[in-house]
Amino acid sequence: MYPIELMKRIAVYPGTFDPVTQGHEAMVLRSLPLFDHIVVAVGHNSAKPQAGYFTLEQRLEMLHKVFDKMPNVSVEAYEGLTTEFCKQKGAHFILRGLRSSTDFEYERNIAQANNALEPSIETVFIISSPGLSAINSSIVRDIHRHGGDVSQFVPEAVIPLL
Amino acid sequence: MYPIELMKRIAVYPGTFDPVTQGHEAMVLRSLPLFDHIVVAVGHNSAKPQAGYFTLEQRLEMLHKVFDKMPNVSVEAYEGLTTEFCKQKGAHFILRGLRSSTDFEYERNIAQANNALEPSIETVFIISSPGLSAINSSIVRDIHRHGGDVSQFVPEAVIPLL
Amino acid sequence: MYPIELMKRIAVYPGTFDPVTQGHEAMVLRSLPLFDHIVVAVGHNSAKPQAGYFTLEQRLEMLHKVFDKMPNVSVEAYEGLTTEFCKQKGAHFILRGLRSSTDFEYERNIAQANNALEPSIETVFIISSPGLSAINSSIVRDIHRHGGDVSQFVPEAVIPLL
Amino acid sequence: MYPIELMKRIAVYPGTFDPVTQGHEAMVLRSLPLFDHIVVAVGHNSAKPQAGYFTLEQRLEMLHKVFDKMPNVSVEAYEGLTTEFCKQKGAHFILRGLRSSTDFEYERNIAQANNALEPSIETVFIISSPGLSAINSSIVRDIHRHGGDVSQFVPEAVIPLL
Amino acid sequence: MYPIELMKRIAVYPGTFDPVTQGHEAMVLRSLPLFDHIVVAVGHNSAKPQAGYFTLEQRLEMLHKVFDKMPNVSVEAYEGLTTEFCKQKGAHFILRGLRSSTDFEYERNIAQANNALEPSIETVFIISSPGLSAINSSIVRDIHRHGGDVSQFVPEAVIPLL
Amino acid sequence: MYPIELMKRIAVYPGTFDPVTQGHEAMVLRSLPLFDHIVVAVGHNSAKPQAGYFTLEQRLEMLHKVFDKMPNVSVEAYEGLTTEFCKQKGAHFILRGLRSSTDFEYERNIAQANNALEPSIETVFIISSPGLSAINSSIVRDIHRHGGDVSQFVPEAVIPLL
């Protein structure tokens, strides 16, 4: 008999979240029924602490504002291979959103490489909601950098942090 | 407290399966850990019984040969809207495979329309295994029609039926 | 000096509109500032009166319900080459919506062929609104055929006609 | 020691050529330096003699007008699997043109299936010339059906036959 | 009654134009009938004056050589959000060219974000001419950097400046 | 009569090979029957010796381990335009692999630009084997950087060098 933890369906939702968008928030919300636990996981490189538009601390603070109120969701930072982090968390699933066919091509290569590295880990995709498919962190950064108003692109909880 | 059935994660894997391929078999096998039950569901139209290369009966017989030995998988035929069939089966998830970006564009429209019709139903995607991404039923039919050998494209259990 | 009609910017918005969707309605609404007049033009083939899910008369009736209230928009049926119809209407522009990269590839070939046939006619594209990009007539027909509710996909004015 | 014929690089260029276009003509012309012989091969199905816009005889006549003057090119009709026809002709290569990424996705599946059926046969792709990438037989048929002038899309030699 | 400026159809054609290509020149030429005025607008960042292969001054000089002779076209540099620049110029339209489906995916996100920021501004797309679709500034820079001859890719007027 | 060298079919297979993968190895192996000689050519820039994850020397050493045992294959480094290098080697063909439609769009632009620069040089494409299409050097570098095991992605001969 398997111990109860192994039977849980745990997913890691990896990304840079620089910053978290309404698209990320909706993705987790829609995926909650599929998993027993979702780890929103910020990939970073401690050797390059300056990389990114927002600092790791800022990004984590925003993510906590958005996801701490959701049941069965936690927020963590990690370094190194995503599959290694999945094994540490007992996660057999990687969760990713798909917005466009360019996304698809990129994600396919990573998902297949991850599956080759660790055949017990599957990447599960959900297609972004129609109204949110144009939102990505890169565009949000670009608008923010130029002093534009990004409040319609990010979760309500993070607006005061921007 | 929710009744036990509502808490189960049930997925419908819809398709025409004309015929079932190694790609379909691998998709179900890889998705087993994600769901408590998978219904492999052959969409058909009783008003057009001649549609398709193989008859509905042949397709179901092949699917039973492949999936009856897998735990928590059943095979059924259905008519009408996929979301209606999901509701009948208590399924909150539709399972689909993605092989290419052309697939993606097509699937996105259907997934978003299904989600608009029935917001409680999510479509979950898994990317096909690298070695199987070139296999699709249309190519298998074409080779079979011309007398070619399709045994490397279909599950071993269905070879005697072709 | 050019006669006044030649200076007007007239666009033909061709399609099968089988049936008209909220996506078509939004496309015309958003394009109104760009043109002095838009002709919503239903391509058909009088030799195949049975082609299509809705009849030509039904499609025209729906289009009139939607567009007759808009200023500078008219609805017409046409046969033959779209570029010939443009010349009859004094239109130097063809208007088309783009939802996806599959759309793009298809539209590019047609736009470039039309421009080769008639270099004075340009095809102008607008990208569909994010919330409407999943709606296409083919999916609406499919839901309608199976008795599903299509009211959230079509313009309000045509719901009573379905 | 291999007999001299086996060492020749022979390619089959399969298609429906309904009708042949300037794109097909340029593809063969550009591929001549790569092969010792190119067989332009019209796939057809003798059980469906009415299929196609032009008859098989018309299509072959057009192809002969275009390619008979080129050295090392022959024109033939074939039925059945393309890989079988290649084996009959001693061809180890299938030649195909790529115009767009939609083409690519379609061709990839066929090329990989053909390679699985017959590992000794490779499909070789050349990307169509920029000025010809919008030309395809389907658009040419459509213009011809509506009485438009297709002379800028087809090889000069076939204009009198249309 | 609207003041005359508001009724004019003004478009901003934004880009880096590093350097301007024959593709850019053709895009403006083909779009002239659609607008009363087109502002060719070089986006730049005064905090990073070294960014780019050609300096802002060189790029503007080339653009003036190409576009000063066209009626109703002006050339300007701008910083910050494109939608803000449009508002300054009284432009309700952003003009962009589409060459490929990769272009499309990228442009869709930007167009939808711009429309969300400023609903009164529409992005209008024209598909590049078949013979020019392979030309982009990045390839021109790469050839120029290696000492190759770029004269067939750039407007005749800028050749002496390279 | 042509001198014998001109009649040989020589291809340059250019890339950064940082590092060489099983995909590159398979591409050359499958292309051997098509050419009399293949030059695996590492593009580099002597002004930026630090560019790349592996040094030029490491990359060349790996390539020699993989390709020196193959008949009619040589390995070289080059700088500058690929078409210039082709002319130096007497090569009329550039060989490239295609894995995805994103690859295709990128390769099309380069192939068409190269053909414009040097009309006598054709780029010939082969689609990567299904099982290898997820492997690219960028993913291999990423796994290697994080200490993961890349031995299933690179040719057996280079494993000891990593």
Side-chain angles (χ1 to χ4, degrees):
Chain A
M1 208 187 128
Y2 289 107
I4 216 87
E5 292 100 17
L6 280 190
M7 296 176 69
K8 278 193 184 168
R9 293 187 183 106
I10 300 173
V12 163
Y13 179 34
T16 45
F17 303 102
D18 187 19
V20 60
T21 65
Q22 287 183 12
H24 298 130
E25 184 184 36
M27 189 60 49
V28 172
L29 216 49
R30 289 170 52 201
S31 305
L32 281 176
L34 190 58
F35 300 108
D36 296 302
H37 192 85
I38 296 174
V39 183
V40 179
V42 190
H44 76 108
N45 183 346
S46 58
K48 297 185 184 172
Q50 313 299 341
Y53 181 77
F54 293 101
T55 65
L56 177 62
E57 286 66 36
Q58 287 173 308
R59 288 185 259 157
L60 286 168
E61 187 187 357
M62 292 185 223
L63 288 167
H64 281 295
K65 286 270 185 203
V66 177
F67 294 116
D68 280 0
K69 61 178 188 276
M70 289 192 196
N72 306 324
V73 180
S74 59
V75 171
E76 293 194 40
Y78 77 104
E79 286 197 76
L81 291 176
T82 304
T83 48
E84 287 305 308
F85 181 68
C86 287
K87 286 197 285 184
Q88 283 171 33
K89 310 308 295 184
H92 288 283
F93 305 100
I94 294 172
L95 174 66
R96 292 288 290 168
L98 288 175
R99 284 164 311 182
S100 67
S101 56
T102 306
D103 271 15
F104 169 76
E105 300 271 356
Y106 175 80
E107 296 288 341
R108 177 176 50 186
N109 288 347
I110 311 234
Q112 291 181 342
N114 281 334
N115 196 246
L117 283 174
E118 205 58 62
S120 68
I121 296 179
E122 286 292 344
T123 306
V124 172
F125 294 93
I126 288 183
I127 287 177
S128 62
S129 308
L132 302 175
S133 64
I135 301 177
N136 64 54
S137 297
S138 152
I139 285 180
V140 171
R141 285 195 301 273
D142 204 51
I143 296 170
H144 191 265
R145 183 182 291 122
H146 289 114
D149 176 12
V150 300
S151 58
Q152 67 179 306
F153 302 120
V154 298
E156 215 182 323
V158 310
I159 297 176
L161 298 178
L162 290 171
Chain B
M1 206 190 130
Y2 290 107
I4 215 89
E5 290 101 20
L6 282 189
M7 298 177 66
K8 278 193 184 167
R9 294 187 182 104
I10 301 172
V12 162
Y13 179 35
T16 45
F17 303 101
D18 187 20
V20 60
T21 66
Q22 287 183 11
H24 298 130
E25 184 185 35
M27 188 62 47
V28 173
L29 215 50
R30 290 171 50 200
S31 304
L32 281 176
L34 190 57
F35 300 107
D36 297 302
H37 192 85
I38 296 174
V39 183
V40 179
V42 190
H44 74 109
N45 183 345
S46 58
K48 297 186 184 171
Q50 313 300 341
Y53 180 77
F54 292 101
T55 67
L56 178 62
E57 285 67 35
Q58 287 175 308
R59 288 186 259 159
L60 287 168
E61 187 186 356
M62 291 185 223
L63 288 166
H64 280 295
K65 286 268 186 205
V66 177
F67 294 116
D68 280 1
K69 60 177 189 276
M70 289 190 196
N72 306 321
V73 180
S74 59
V75 172
E76 291 194 40
Y78 77 103
E79 287 197 75
L81 291 175
T82 304
T83 48
E84 286 305 308
F85 181 68
C86 287
K87 287 198 284 185
Q88 283 170 34
K89 309 308 296 183
H92 289 284
F93 305 100
I94 294 172
L95 174 66
R96 293 288 290 167
L98 288 174
R99 283 165 311 183
S100 68
S101 58
T102 307
D103 270 15
F104 170 76
E105 299 271 355
Y106 175 81
E107 295 289 341
R108 177 175 54 186
N109 288 347
I110 310 235
Q112 291 182 342
N114 281 335
N115 196 245
L117 284 174
E118 205 60 60
S120 68
I121 296 179
E122 286 294 344
T123 306
V124 172
F125 294 93
I126 288 183
I127 287 178
S128 60
S129 308
L132 302 174
S133 64
I135 301 177
N136 64 55
S137 296
S138 153
I139 285 179
V140 171
R141 284 196 301 273
D142 205 50
I143 295 169
H144 191 265
R145 181 183 291 121
H146 289 113
D149 176 12
V150 299
S151 58
Q152 67 179 303
F153 303 119
V154 299
E156 215 183 322
V158 312
I159 296 176
L161 298 178
L162 290 171
Chain C
M1 204 189 132
Y2 290 106
I4 215 91
E5 290 100 19
L6 280 189
M7 297 175 67
K8 278 194 183 167
R9 293 188 182 104
I10 301 172
V12 163
Y13 180 34
T16 45
F17 302 102
D18 188 19
V20 60
T21 66
Q22 287 183 12
H24 298 130
E25 184 184 35
M27 188 61 49
V28 173
L29 215 49
R30 290 170 51 200
S31 305
L32 281 176
L34 190 58
F35 299 107
D36 297 301
H37 192 85
I38 296 173
V39 183
V40 179
V42 190
H44 76 109
N45 183 345
S46 59
K48 297 187 185 171
Q50 313 300 341
Y53 181 77
F54 292 102
T55 66
L56 177 63
E57 286 67 35
Q58 287 174 310
R59 288 186 261 158
L60 286 168
E61 188 186 357
M62 291 186 223
L63 288 167
H64 279 295
K65 287 269 187 204
V66 177
F67 295 116
D68 281 0
K69 62 177 188 277
M70 288 191 196
N72 306 323
V73 179
S74 59
V75 172
E76 292 193 41
Y78 76 103
E79 288 197 75
L81 290 176
T82 303
T83 48
E84 286 304 309
F85 181 67
C86 288
K87 287 198 284 185
Q88 285 171 33
K89 309 308 296 183
H92 288 284
F93 304 100
I94 293 172
L95 174 66
R96 292 287 291 168
L98 288 175
R99 285 165 311 185
S100 67
S101 57
T102 308
D103 271 14
F104 169 76
E105 299 271 355
Y106 175 81
E107 296 288 341
R108 177 176 52 187
N109 288 347
I110 311 234
Q112 292 182 341
N114 281 334
N115 196 247
L117 284 174
E118 204 60 62
S120 69
I121 296 179
E122 286 292 344
T123 306
V124 172
F125 293 93
I126 288 184
I127 286 178
S128 61
S129 308
L132 302 175
S133 64
I135 301 178
N136 64 54
S137 297
S138 153
I139 284 180
V140 171
R141 285 196 301 274
D142 205 50
I143 296 170
H144 191 266
R145 182 183 290 122
H146 289 114
D149 177 12
V150 300
S151 57
Q152 68 179 304
F153 303 119
V154 297
E156 216 182 322
V158 311
I159 297 176
L161 298 178
L162 290 171
Chain D
M1 205 189 131
Y2 289 107
I4 215 87
E5 290 101 18
L6 280 188
M7 297 176 68
K8 279 192 182 169
R9 294 188 182 104
I10 300 172
V12 163
Y13 180 34
T16 45
F17 302 102
D18 188 20
V20 60
T21 66
Q22 287 183 11
H24 299 129
E25 184 184 34
M27 189 60 49
V28 173
L29 216 48
R30 290 171 52 201
S31 305
L32 281 177
L34 191 56
F35 300 107
D36 296 302
H37 193 85
I38 297 174
V39 183
V40 178
V42 191
H44 75 109
N45 183 345
S46 58
K48 297 185 185 173
Q50 313 299 341
Y53 181 76
F54 292 101
T55 65
L56 178 62
E57 284 68 33
Q58 287 174 308
R59 287 186 259 159
L60 287 169
E61 187 187 356
M62 291 186 223
L63 289 166
H64 279 296
K65 287 268 187 205
V66 177
F67 294 116
D68 280 0
K69 62 178 187 278
M70 289 191 196
N72 306 323
V73 179
S74 58
V75 172
E76 292 194 40
Y78 77 104
E79 287 198 76
L81 291 177
T82 304
T83 47
E84 287 304 310
F85 181 67
C86 288
K87 287 197 285 184
Q88 284 171 34
K89 310 307 297 183
H92 288 284
F93 304 100
I94 293 172
L95 173 66
R96 292 288 290 167
L98 286 175
R99 285 164 310 183
S100 67
S101 57
T102 307
D103 270 15
F104 169 76
E105 299 271 354
Y106 175 79
E107 295 289 341
R108 177 176 51 187
N109 288 347
I110 311 234
Q112 291 181 342
N114 281 335
N115 196 246
L117 284 174
E118 204 60 60
S120 68
I121 296 179
E122 286 293 344
T123 305
V124 172
F125 294 94
I126 288 184
I127 287 178
S128 60
S129 308
L132 302 174
S133 65
I135 300 178
N136 63 54
S137 296
S138 153
I139 284 180
V140 172
R141 286 196 301 272
D142 206 50
I143 295 169
H144 190 266
R145 182 183 290 122
H146 290 113
D149 176 12
V150 300
S151 56
Q152 68 179 303
F153 303 118
V154 298
E156 216 182 323
V158 311
I159 297 177
L161 299 179
L162 290 171
Chain E
M1 206 189 131
Y2 290 107
I4 214 89
E5 291 100 19
L6 281 189
M7 297 175 67
K8 278 193 184 166
R9 293 187 182 105
I10 300 172
V12 163
Y13 179 34
T16 45
F17 302 102
D18 187 19
V20 60
T21 65
Q22 288 183 11
H24 298 130
E25 183 184 35
M27 189 61 47
V28 173
L29 215 50
R30 289 170 52 200
S31 304
L32 282 176
L34 190 58
F35 300 107
D36 297 303
H37 192 86
I38 296 174
V39 183
V40 179
V42 190
H44 75 109
N45 184 345
S46 59
K48 297 185 185 172
Q50 313 300 341
Y53 181 77
F54 293 101
T55 66
L56 178 62
E57 286 65 35
Q58 287 173 308
R59 288 185 260 159
L60 287 168
E61 188 186 356
M62 292 186 223
L63 288 166
H64 281 295
K65 287 270 186 202
V66 177
F67 295 117
D68 281 0
K69 60 178 189 277
M70 290 191 195
N72 306 321
V73 180
S74 58
V75 172
E76 292 193 40
Y78 77 104
E79 286 197 77
L81 290 176
T82 304
T83 48
E84 286 306 308
F85 181 68
C86 288
K87 287 198 285 185
Q88 284 171 33
K89 310 307 295 183
H92 289 284
F93 304 100
I94 293 172
L95 173 66
R96 292 287 289 168
L98 288 174
R99 285 164 310 182
S100 67
S101 57
T102 307
D103 270 14
F104 169 76
E105 300 272 356
Y106 175 80
E107 296 289 339
R108 177 175 54 187
N109 288 347
I110 311 234
Q112 291 182 342
N114 280 335
N115 196 246
L117 284 174
E118 205 59 59
S120 69
I121 296 178
E122 286 293 344
T123 305
V124 172
F125 293 93
I126 288 184
I127 286 177
S128 62
S129 308
L132 302 174
S133 63
I135 301 177
N136 64 54
S137 296
S138 152
I139 285 180
V140 171
R141 284 196 302 274
D142 205 50
I143 296 169
H144 191 265
R145 182 183 292 121
H146 290 112
D149 176 11
V150 300
S151 57
Q152 67 179 305
F153 303 119
V154 298
E156 214 182 323
V158 311
I159 297 176
L161 299 178
L162 290 171
Chain F
M1 208 190 129
Y2 290 107
I4 215 89
E5 291 99 19
L6 281 188
M7 297 177 68
K8 278 195 184 167
R9 294 187 182 104
I10 300 173
V12 163
Y13 179 35
T16 45
F17 303 101
D18 187 19
V20 60
T21 66
Q22 287 183 10
H24 299 130
E25 183 185 35
M27 187 63 48
V28 172
L29 215 48
R30 289 170 52 200
S31 305
L32 281 177
L34 190 57
F35 300 107
D36 296 303
H37 192 85
I38 297 174
V39 182
V40 179
V42 190
H44 76 109
N45 184 345
S46 58
K48 297 185 184 173
Q50 313 299 341
Y53 182 75
F54 292 101
T55 66
L56 178 62
E57 285 66 35
Q58 287 174 309
R59 288 186 258 159
L60 286 168
E61 187 186 357
M62 291 186 224
L63 288 166
H64 279 296
K65 286 269 187 204
V66 177
F67 294 116
D68 280 359
K69 62 178 187 276
M70 289 192 196
N72 307 322
V73 180
S74 58
V75 172
E76 292 194 39
Y78 76 104
E79 287 197 77
L81 292 177
T82 304
T83 48
E84 287 305 309
F85 181 67
C86 288
K87 286 197 286 183
Q88 284 170 33
K89 309 308 295 184
H92 289 282
F93 304 100
I94 294 172
L95 173 67
R96 291 288 290 167
L98 288 174
R99 283 164 312 182
S100 67
S101 57
T102 307
D103 270 14
F104 170 76
E105 300 271 355
Y106 175 81
E107 295 289 340
R108 177 175 52 186
N109 288 347
I110 312 233
Q112 292 182 341
N114 281 335
N115 195 246
L117 284 175
E118 205 58 60
S120 68
I121 296 179
E122 287 292 343
T123 307
V124 172
F125 294 93
I126 288 183
I127 288 178
S128 61
S129 309
L132 302 175
S133 64
I135 301 177
N136 62 54
S137 297
S138 153
I139 285 181
V140 171
R141 285 195 301 273
D142 206 51
I143 295 169
H144 190 265
R145 182 183 290 122
H146 289 113
D149 176 12
V150 300
S151 57
Q152 66 179 304
F153 303 119
V154 298
E156 214 181 323
V158 311
I159 297 177
L161 300 178
L162 291 171

